[in-house]
Amino acid sequence: MLKTLLLTGAAGGVGKAIRPLLREIAEKVVLSDMVDIADLASHETFVKCDLSIREEVDAAVAGVDGIIHLGGISVERPFELILKGNIEGVYNLYEAARHNGQPRIIFASSNHTIGFHRRDEKLDGNSSVRPDTLYGVSKCFGENLASFYFDKFGQETLSVRIGSLTAKPQNSRMLATWLSAQDFVSLCARGFEAPRLGNAVVYGASDNFESWWDNSHAAFLGWKPRDSSAKWRAEILAEAGKEDPTDPAHIYQGGGFTKLRHPADG
Ligand code: NAI
Ligand code: 15L
């Protein structure tokens, strides 16, 4: 059990979904975001923090013994925004951690680091990155920064390439990519509890019937997802109808992200 967990990006969709479950991990939770959060539970406090401002990140990180880093840009956006939130932001976080006792970091990476792999490929710990967006590239930066800070300074990180963390799967792609909030939190718990974490990268999906990802390289974590998209499978497949096999959104793991225009092109 952690004494104090920092949750960045706590005002976002994933933050809202996992907050009620974090009592399983930590006695106290420091929520942070660049937007205010008012509805605090008794074990929660709030620190306003723009990840692109180093001093604010330092203040948020001071005194915590674990971090779940959700904060930043979560979809494709102009590069200037991604630079602030996901490049400068993750750098500031790792610098703050380096100067504040190196608490373990769970980094919310994304399936969009590997989005240009085809759906008929099974990926594992040796698969290359194939980002599908500037956003995906920024998550690759975060994973690489974690690798460097481990090799150079011993900072431990679990990067979770989250598939789709939503209340329930919304389309046929999410039958493979869906990750429940509870399974994500149990994965974070394993990341904090593992006697030795090092720098690990795992795919974040529940125990779905459709599966593109093999986490056997991270078996040492002992993580067993309990939820599954299967209970919505029949309903979703009936609604999905016949999919166009030539549509990149159906060919690649990153789905529609692979078809997005460059943000600078409008
Ligand atoms: P979200 O966009 O709902 O939440 C992100 C939060 O970060 C927002 O509350 C926003 O205010 C905050 N933020 C953005 N820029 C910031 C900055 N410069 N300083 C401080 N705070 C900033 O995203 P969501 O869906 O909650 O995702 C959370 C994390 O998980 C993101 O890093 C996202 O990339 C990652 N992820 C999410 C997936 C999903 O299915 N929801 C899938 C894969 C990865
Ligand atoms: C992500 O990385 C995004 O943050 C989220 O909004 C979803 O689009 C998710 O991936 C997904 O691929 O479903």
Side-chain angles (χ1 to χ4, degrees):
M1 182 70 119
L2 297 174
K3 289 222 165 312
T4 310
L5 168 72
L6 170 64
L7 180 69
T8 71
V14 175
K16 285 195 187 94
I18 69 170
R19 270 176 62 193
L21 307 172
L22 295 178
R23 279 182 195 267
E24 297 167 22
I25 292 186
E27 290 168 17
K28 293 184 201 160
V29 180
V30 178
L31 308 176
S32 90
D33 206 292
M34 66 197 298
V35 301
D36 289 323
I37 299 175
D39 61 327
L40 298 179
S42 58
H43 66 294
E44 294 175 332
T45 53
F46 176 67
V47 176
K48 194 161 184 168
C49 159
D50 182 332
L51 291 162
S52 68
I53 301 175
R54 176 62 203 283
E55 298 72 29
E56 294 187 8
V57 183
D58 268 336
V61 168
V64 308
D65 53 350
I67 300 172
I68 299 178
H69 181 50
L70 304 178
I73 302 298
S74 62
V75 289
E76 187 68 324
R77 285 283 180 267
F79 183 68
E80 296 68 28
L81 291 178
I82 289 176
L83 182 62
K84 287 273 174 219
N86 296 11
I87 306 285
E88 291 179 18
V90 76
Y91 174 74
N92 286 339
L93 187 86
Y94 274 80
E95 274 299 273
R98 187 164 75 88
H99 291 104
N100 287 280
Q102 300 193 163
R104 276 189 188 175
I105 297 174
I106 312 291
F107 170 53
S109 184
S110 171
N111 71 87
H112 297 290
T113 55
I114 50 81
F116 264 122
H117 282 283
R118 296 174 62 98
R119 292 189 188 186
D120 53 15
E121 288 174 79
K122 186 99 173 182
L123 306 187
D124 62 19
N126 292 318
S127 301
S128 60
V129 292
R130 294 189 77 172
D132 57 24
T133 40
L134 295 171
Y135 162 66
V137 172
S138 76
K139 293 295 185 179
C140 295
F141 175 81
E143 291 185 6
N144 280 343
L145 197 72
S147 172
F148 169 61
Y149 271 68
F150 176 64
D151 288 336
K152 189 90 174 168
F153 309 114
Q155 167 70 51
E156 293 189 295
T157 297
L158 177 62
S159 292
V160 183
R161 291 178 177 165
I162 301 172
S164 306
L165 201 159
T166 49
K168 59 183 230 179
Q170 292 156 3
N171 51 45
S172 61
R173 173 178 169 272
M174 287 192 192
L175 291 176
T177 60
W178 186 67
L179 174 67
S180 74
Q182 182 66 64
D183 282 339
F184 178 53
V185 170
S186 72
L187 177 54
C188 293
R190 296 308 305 144
F192 289 126
E193 289 161 8
R196 185 186 173 283
L197 176 61
N199 176 56
V201 180
V202 297
Y203 299 95
S206 285
D207 184 20
N208 302 329
F209 178 80
E210 280 84 359
S211 169
W212 301 332
W213 304 324
D214 174 358
N215 271 332
S216 51
H217 62 284
F220 71 93
L221 286 172
W223 177 56
K224 295 215 177 345
R226 304 276 176 212
D227 293 318
S228 171
S229 62
K231 66 179 161 190
W232 294 283
R233 194 161 180 269
E235 174 194 328
I236 284 177
L237 291 179
E239 278 169 17
K242 200 165 159 31
E243 292 178 344
D244 175 1
T246 65
D247 182 347
H250 297 138
I251 294 173
Y252 298 112
Q253 299 192 2
F257 278 48
T258 61
K259 298 204 305 185
L260 296 173
R261 292 162 65 88
H262 191 293
D265 294 344

